[in-house]
């Protein structure tokens, strides 16, 4: 992937907003900080960064995808009430993927685990 100042700005903005933002949220932040940015260009760059393993794209939380600058192995918890996304260390179940692979006789390359419930702030 070639260097792009625009992608660098997007990545910096994602790291500064480590709340697992949607593209729409990032779009509003970028527009306030840098002026007009095309939503289509933002999506294209976010998907390119995700495809190259620089960020994570998290689907299935809401109709919109969320993006995460943290590419280390971890799980997610989503509050069903406020929709906030929390990181959970993969250390709580370090052998989850290998045990799942053994159970079905497959070689698992990775996994995306998402827990749902009500966060402590919404309880």
């Amino acid at each position: 992937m070639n260097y792009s100042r625009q992608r660098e700005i997007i990545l910096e903005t994602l790291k500064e907003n480590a709340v697992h933002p949607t593209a729409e949220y990032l779009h509003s932040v970028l527009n306030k900080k840098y002026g007009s940015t095309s939503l289509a260009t933002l999506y294209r760059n976010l998907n390119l960064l995700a495809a190259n393993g620089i960020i994570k794209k998290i689907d299935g939380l809401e109709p919109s995808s969320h993006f995460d600058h943290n590419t280390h192995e971890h799980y997610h918890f989503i509050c069903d009430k406020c929709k906030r996304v929390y990181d959970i260390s993969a250390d709580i179940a370090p052998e989850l993927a290998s045990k799942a692979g053994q159970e079905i006789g497959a070689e698992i390359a990775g996994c995306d685990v998402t827990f749902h419930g009500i966060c402590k702030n919404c309880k």
Side-chain angles (χ1 to χ4, degrees):
M1 181 171 69
N2 293 331
Y3 171 81
S4 160
R5 176 68 181 140
Q6 193 169 37
R7 272 193 293 278
E8 183 180 326
I9 289 170
I10 291 168
L11 186 56
E12 287 172 12
T13 304
L14 181 60
K15 288 179 180 180
E16 291 168 359
N17 294 275
V19 293
H20 303 86
T22 61
E24 291 79 8
Y25 177 90
L26 284 174
H27 186 249
S28 69
V29 171
L30 287 165
N31 281 341
K32 286 177 189 171
K33 193 170 181 179
Y34 298 102
S36 182
T37 303
S38 161
L39 186 57
T41 299
L42 176 59
Y43 266 112
R44 187 173 52 254
N45 280 292
L46 287 170
N47 287 324
L48 185 62
L49 289 166
N52 282 278
I54 298 168
I55 65 172
K56 279 188 173 184
K57 182 177 181 181
I58 308 165
D59 290 315
L61 308 182
E62 296 179 73
S64 296
S65 297
H66 289 248
F67 296 90
D68 190 354
H69 75 283
N70 180 0
T71 58
H72 292 90
E73 188 68 32
H74 67 283
Y75 309 134
H76 292 106
F77 170 83
I78 301 146
C79 178
D80 292 331
K81 190 170 184 180
C82 69
K83 304 298 183 200
R84 183 167 175 202
V85 182
Y86 297 84
D87 287 343
I88 298 174
S89 170
D91 293 342
I92 65 165
E95 298 176 11
L96 180 63
S98 64
K99 286 182 178 180
Q102 289 172 2
E103 184 173 316
I104 62 171
E107 183 178 321
I108 296 177
C111 64
D112 294 313
V113 176
T114 305
F115 299 92
H116 291 270
I118 303 297
C119 72
K120 64 181 178 182
N121 295 328
C122 291
K123 270 204 274 186

